[in-house]
Amino acid sequence: MVLQDHEFKRIRDLVYRELGIHLAEQKQALVFGRLSNLVNRRGLQSFEAYCEMVENDKTGKALSELANAISTNHTFFNREHSHFSFFENRALPEMTHRLRTGQSRDLRVWCAASSTGQEPYTLAMLMRRFFSKEITPWDAGLLATDISEKALESARLGIYDTKDVASLPEPLRKEYFKELPNQKVAVSPQLKRDVTFRRFNLINAVYPFKKPFHIVFCRNVLIYFDAPTKEKVFANMADNMVTGGYLFLGHTESMGRNNPAFEFVEPAVYRKV
Ligand SMILES: C[S@@+](CC[C@H](N)C(=O)[O-])C[C@H]1O[C@@H](n2cnc3c(N)ncnc32)[C@H](O)[C@@H]1O
């Protein structure tokens, strides 16, 4: 099987339209390498037929599979650690203080490209540690979304290599992970219950959330998007966050300082104005 120029163009258009991911001209060989297995596995004769199948699949599963092949799910516990300290020492105290003043205990946190779960589970552990000092229970929700169903399945399973959790402080490791045979660990059932995993495409025109979020982590996914797509994502984020809420991006994904909806707080941390 070969990837003809017109087929590559069709895949590029499809990937941009449906995933917001911009594939440069020189990515033809990479696309061939990553997609030919998928095309074969589905018993299709050409990349053209593959595009048609993805476009006609209303379940979104084929699109999720495509996203998985094109982008990387690379992530790890405690990644870009300064954000987690900021989350625990500034964002959580500030947001909960504000909510308390307004007689509410409904804190909403969203991890918007959660991949295989290491990032939302890190947030969930820090939330548990933070709320353990409270007497009255909080109704704190942690939503974790990703476009890749495969990544979400692995996140829901919550099984990791022992070496993957080595970067976490020992008390957290001891409390929230159970050792399994073969150098594996399993996330505790209580921590799993704290996180709701759902499939969600960040380039959807409309974000379907009923209530706005206080804290959003959207890290290391915007690198795949071009400038207009990023702007739309920022606008949608702003529409779905409370004023004063915190947005965390990856350290290489600055939004610049001119977005009227956000103010710069510190590298890759922004505040909805
Ligand atoms: C490199 S991982 C980042 C994971 C984590 N946020 C971190 O910083 O470690 C990027 C994730 O973005 C997801 N992704 C790519 N395009 C997406 C889209 N359009 N909507 C939602 N998630 C997307 C991928 O499936 C992948 O799991």
Side-chain angles (χ1 to χ4, degrees), residues 18-21 64 67-68 71-76 79-80 111-116 118-120 145-149 151 200-204 217-225 250 253:
E18 300 296 335
L19 302 172
I21 298 175
S64 147
N68 213 49
S71 64
T72 157
N73 297 128
H74 180 65
T75 183
F76 45 94
R79 182 179 198 176
E80 299 176 16
C111 180
S114 56
S115 188
T116 41
Q118 290 86 334
E119 187 177 45
T145 61
D146 199 281
I147 191 155
S148 163
E149 194 55 55
F200 181 69
N201 187 347
L202 282 167
I203 73 146
N204 282 357
F217 271 63
C218 184
R219 305 190 310 162
N220 303 303
V221 59
L222 300 173
I223 30 160
Y224 299 114
F225 301 161
E253 301 173 310

Side-chain angles (χ1 to χ4, degrees), residues 204-223:
N204 282 357
V206 178
Y207 286 19
F209 308 111
K210 288 197 189 103
K211 292 180 176 177
F213 295 97
H214 298 92
I215 299 171
V216 177
F217 271 63
C218 184
R219 305 190 310 162
N220 303 303
V221 59
L222 300 173
I223 30 160

Side-chain angles (χ1 to χ4, degrees), residues 44-56:
L44 297 164
Q45 300 306 314
S46 67
F47 285 93
E48 188 96 57
Y50 173 73
C51 287
E52 249 150 60
M53 185 276 294
V54 176
E55 283 163 357
N56 292 328

